[in-house]
């Protein structure tokens, strides 16, 4: 049983999704039960996998027992275990929130939600480049349908852009994979890394083109500077639990950049090593600057949170651009924090919008809210965390990232990151004071919110103090992860033990 | 054969790109479809073009690389599903917004 644990994050949502296909609407109690049990089970599996990964060994699962480099493998190292755990934690919050009533606004919510989880988990586990494409498509197709959940003009408009852009991105992904396969003759990432070390000089141009095209695709998913324009509209238009789950989607792109480039273009790749670094670094800085402006300019709370996601993307990619083990460790800590907190803020923004009635999430004066006190408290906690003010987790995350920059990198990163944080401080305090304090006189607006919605938000936002309390063990884990990532030879040796004899 | 193949892929990609950048949803969908054809052809050629070879490994050593064929098969299936989805989406956008512009705007009509 233990050896099959790795494949469970893919199997559990798959089976649950199939079960949930039965009847498009109705049977809501049965569907909610299945969905929550499946998500909780995925969480339990993720915790088990983190336990396995903590022992420091890399484990792989050969699907159909076809051994690498020929078969498709699922690889479990510290990074993928960590990402699975973050996804599962986020999914539990989102699914509990959705059970308060959002799931009844359209058909097949829970089934699609589980399949989205299947795609995300698969993308984190796979060790094969083409399989990564397949899992990307699974998660994208589920996300297209989830984005449309509930319908409405804004959602459909945002979806058209999102779908067309991602279809173009998928085409580019296939071209890039094709080029890399043509140049190296393999799709297994560990095998490809090994072959790149002995690549003939005349093929280097081909590999560079393929690798940089791949960066465009991952950049589109991660919403890096010139490719982010779809994000604010899509995230602001998505139904709240879906927007919360989408908080992990940009991180899938960042994970893919981290995984592919640290493995394929490590020091052993010779002239090709770290070929993505200047692109990622400078574009991350531009992303930070643009996102800071966007946060200030946003006139809607959901749009504001979408730009906060963009700031986190900029920060994370800056860490990827620095490329030292310290930076990777710092960005992984920040990644846990930012995924869960921005997810929670999307849910919270939706709750505030529900209580304000006609004013919705627009940042304008409205009538006082029935449960204004509780919402304001949660908004305050979430804001402190996301801005990066002590004593909550954002402060530690940002400080770690700032500290990881060296030499002239500090000159660029420090002012930009701190100004972006200042921008979010200004924007969030303006939004909070307008919505909670500058209200019209008059009767209270809104009705009491369902308990499940509170539970979902509190589940996600409570990670802010928890991440501080457990900062020691978590940063020890991320440091070990960074160390594992910067030594890709160990992964290659695990997957292809007899490669040296073959050479 | 290589030249013909390369020209076909190139022309398909150029047409697909041009149509994808149009302002109406129908040309965009057609453009995406053409791009996916071009990508499938491109992917197919990545194992090297073989004439008169066995489809899988055979004794005499002259065989076509089977992996790109498997990849193309997967890509075709996925591309087909995506096209079906984007057609329905375009129709819904048309009925919700009242026109077929990708931004849902009316005033850009020439």
């Amino acid at each position: 049983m233990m050896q099959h644990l790795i494949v469970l994050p893919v199997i559990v949502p798959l089976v649950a999704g199939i079960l949930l296909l039965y009847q498009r609407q109705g049977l809501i109690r049965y569907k909610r039960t299945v969905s929550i049990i499946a998500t909780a089970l995925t969480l339990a599996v993720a915790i088990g996998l983190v336990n396995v990964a903590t022992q420091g060994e890399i484990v792989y699962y050969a699907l159909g027992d076809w051994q690498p480099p020929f078969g498709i493998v699922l690889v479990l190292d510290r990074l993928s275990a960590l990402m699975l755990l973050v996804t599962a934690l986020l999914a539990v919050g989102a699914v509990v929130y959705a059970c308060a009533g959002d799931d009844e606004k359209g058909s097949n919510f829970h089934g699609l939600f589980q399949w989205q989880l299947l795609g995300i988990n698969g993308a984190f586990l796979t060790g094969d480049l083409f399989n990564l494409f397949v899992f990307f498509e699974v998660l994208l197709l589920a996300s297209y349908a989830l984005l449309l959940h509930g319908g409405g003009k804004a959602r459909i408009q945002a979806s058209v852009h999102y779908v067309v852009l991602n279809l173009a991105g998928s085409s580019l992904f296939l071209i890039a994979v094709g080029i890399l396969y043509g140049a190296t003759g393999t799709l297994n990432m560990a095998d490809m890394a090994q072959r790149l070390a002995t690549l003939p000089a005349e093929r280097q141009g081909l590999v560079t083109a393929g690798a940089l095209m791949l960066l465009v695709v991952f950049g589109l998913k991660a919403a890096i500077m010139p490719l982010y324009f779809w994000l604010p509209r899509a995230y602001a238009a998505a139904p709240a639990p879906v927007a919360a789950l989408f908080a992990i989607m940009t991180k899938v792109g960042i994970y893919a950049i981290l995984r592919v480039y640290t493995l394929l273009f490590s020091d052993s790749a010779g002239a090709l090593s770290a070929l993505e670094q200047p692109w990622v670094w400078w574009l991350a800085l531009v992303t930070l600057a643009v996102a800071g402006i966007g946060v200030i300019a946003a006139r809607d709370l959901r749009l504001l949170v979408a730009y906060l996601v963009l700031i986190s993307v900029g920060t994370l990619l800056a860490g990827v651009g620095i490329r030292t083990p310290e930076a990777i460790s710092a960005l992984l800590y920040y990644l846990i924090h930012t995924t869960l907190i921005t997810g929670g803020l999307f849910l919270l923004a939706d709750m505030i919008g529900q209580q304000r009635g006609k004013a919705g999430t627009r940042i304008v004066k409205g009538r006082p809210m029935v449960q204004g006190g509780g919402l304001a408290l949660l908004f305050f906690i979430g804001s402190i965390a996301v801005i990066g003010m002590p004593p909550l987790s954002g402060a530690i995350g940002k400080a770690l990232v700032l500290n990881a920059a060296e030499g002239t990198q500090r000159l660029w990163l420090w002012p930009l990151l701190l100004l972006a944080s200042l921008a979010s401080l200004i924007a969030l305090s303006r939004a909070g004071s307008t919505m909670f304090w500058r209200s019209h006189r008059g009767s209270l607006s809104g009705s009491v919110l369902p308990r499940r919605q509170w539970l979902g938000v509190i589940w996600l936002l409570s990670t802010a103090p928890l991440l501080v309390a457990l900062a020691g063990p978590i940063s020890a884990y991320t440091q070990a992860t960074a160390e594992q990532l910067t030594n890709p030879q160990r992964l290659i040796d695990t997957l292809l033990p007899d490669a040296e004899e073959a050479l | 054969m290589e030249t013909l193949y390369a020209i076909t892929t190139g022309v398909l990609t150029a047409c697909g790109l041009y149509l994808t950048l149009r302002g109406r949803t129908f040309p965009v969908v057609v453009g995406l479809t053409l791009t996916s054809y071009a990508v499938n052809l491109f992917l197919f050629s990545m194992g090297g073009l073989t004439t008169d070879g066995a489809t899988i490994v055979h004794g005499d050593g002259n065989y076509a690389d089977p992996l790109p064929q498997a990849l193309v098969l997967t890509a075709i299936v996925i591309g087909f599903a995506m096209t079906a989805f984007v057609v329905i989406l375009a129709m819904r956008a048309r009925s919700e917004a009242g026109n077929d512009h990708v931004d849902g705007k009316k005033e850009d009509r020439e």
Side-chain angles (χ1 to χ4, degrees), chain A residues 238-468:
Chain A
V242 177
L245 186 64
F246 278 15
I248 194 80
M249 294 266 282
T250 50
K251 279 72 186 179
V252 177
I254 289 165
Y255 163 84
I257 294 178
L258 205 56
R259 165 70 75 206
V260 168
Y261 293 96
T262 52
L263 178 56
L264 296 189
F265 303 102
S266 60
D267 298 335
S268 67
L272 291 174
S273 94
L275 88 169
E276 90 293 357
Q277 191 189 13
W279 293 95
V280 172
W281 167 250
W282 293 111
L283 289 177
L285 294 180
V286 184
T287 312
L288 263 181
V290 175
I293 297 169
V295 162
I296 294 258
R299 287 282 171 271
D300 185 292
L301 187 58
R302 302 176 59 137
L303 204 59
L304 198 157
V305 181
Y307 275 105
L308 288 174
V309 171
L310 215 54
I311 289 189
S312 75
V313 168
T315 314
L316 290 169
L317 283 172
V320 179
I322 298 171
R323 227 177 189 267
T324 55
E326 294 78 38
I328 293 175
S329 158
L331 88 90
L332 288 175
Y333 183 89
Y334 184 73
L335 188 143
I336 309 172
H337 144 82
T338 185
T339 310
L340 299 172
I341 298 298
T342 47
L345 281 175
F346 272 120
L347 298 182
L348 187 62
D350 185 60
M351 287 169 77
I352 294 173
Q354 283 175 36
Q355 283 232 314
R356 275 160 53 93
K358 249 174 107 180
T361 50
R362 281 176 296 136
I363 304 173
V364 289
K365 280 206 284 187
R367 287 188 294 158
M369 289 169 255
V370 174
Q371 288 169 309
L375 289 176
L377 180 69
L378 285 180
F379 184 79
F380 182 67
I381 294 175
S383 303
I384 295 280
V386 85
I387 294 164
M389 288 207 298
L392 295 180
S393 54
I396 301 186
K398 283 194 178 168
L400 284 172
V401 174
L402 288 174
N403 196 34
E406 281 161 359
T408 48
Q409 287 173 336
R410 288 194 175 181
L411 222 58
W412 290 101
L413 183 62
W414 285 35
L416 277 171
L417 182 54
L418 293 174
L419 279 176
S421 305
L422 180 66
S424 35
L425 174 68
I426 294 170
L428 281 167
S429 23
R430 193 178 53 189
S433 48
T434 310
M435 288 194 297
F436 295 110
W437 288 341
R438 287 179 53 211
S439 45
H440 299 301
R441 285 162 197 278
S443 56
L444 299 175
S445 79
S447 51
V448 176
L449 293 167
R451 202 178 300 149
R452 288 176 190 149
Q453 295 195 340
W454 290 97
L455 204 64
V457 173
I458 291 170
W459 167 270
L460 291 178
L461 290 185
S462 64
T463 48
L466 275 179
L467 275 173
V468 177

Side-chain angles (χ1 to χ4, degrees), chain A residues 137 156-157 161 167 174 178 181, chain B residues 39 46 65 67 82 102-103:
Chain A
E137 291 305 304
I156 291 181
Q157 278 308 319
H161 294 182
L167 284 182
L174 280 175
Y181 174 74
Chain B
V39 167
M46 268 302 116
D65 189 347
L67 194 66
M82 293 294 176
V102 283
D103 287 330

Side-chain angles (χ1 to χ4, degrees), chain A residues 216-259:
Chain A
V216 175
V217 180
F218 296 153
L220 182 68
K221 301 278 179 296
I224 199 169
M225 160 53 194
L227 304 167
Y228 80 88
F229 298 100
W230 56 272
L231 185 140
R233 263 181 94 177
Y235 280 39
V242 177
L245 186 64
F246 278 15
I248 194 80
M249 294 266 282
T250 50
K251 279 72 186 179
V252 177
I254 289 165
Y255 163 84
I257 294 178
L258 205 56
R259 165 70 75 206

Side-chain angles (χ1 to χ4, degrees), chain A residues 174, chain B residues 36 40 69-83:
Chain A
L174 280 175
Chain B
S36 76
N40 290 340
Q69 301 173 13
L71 301 188
V72 168
L73 204 58
T74 317
I76 289 174
V77 173
I78 292 176
F80 201 66
M82 293 294 176
T83 311

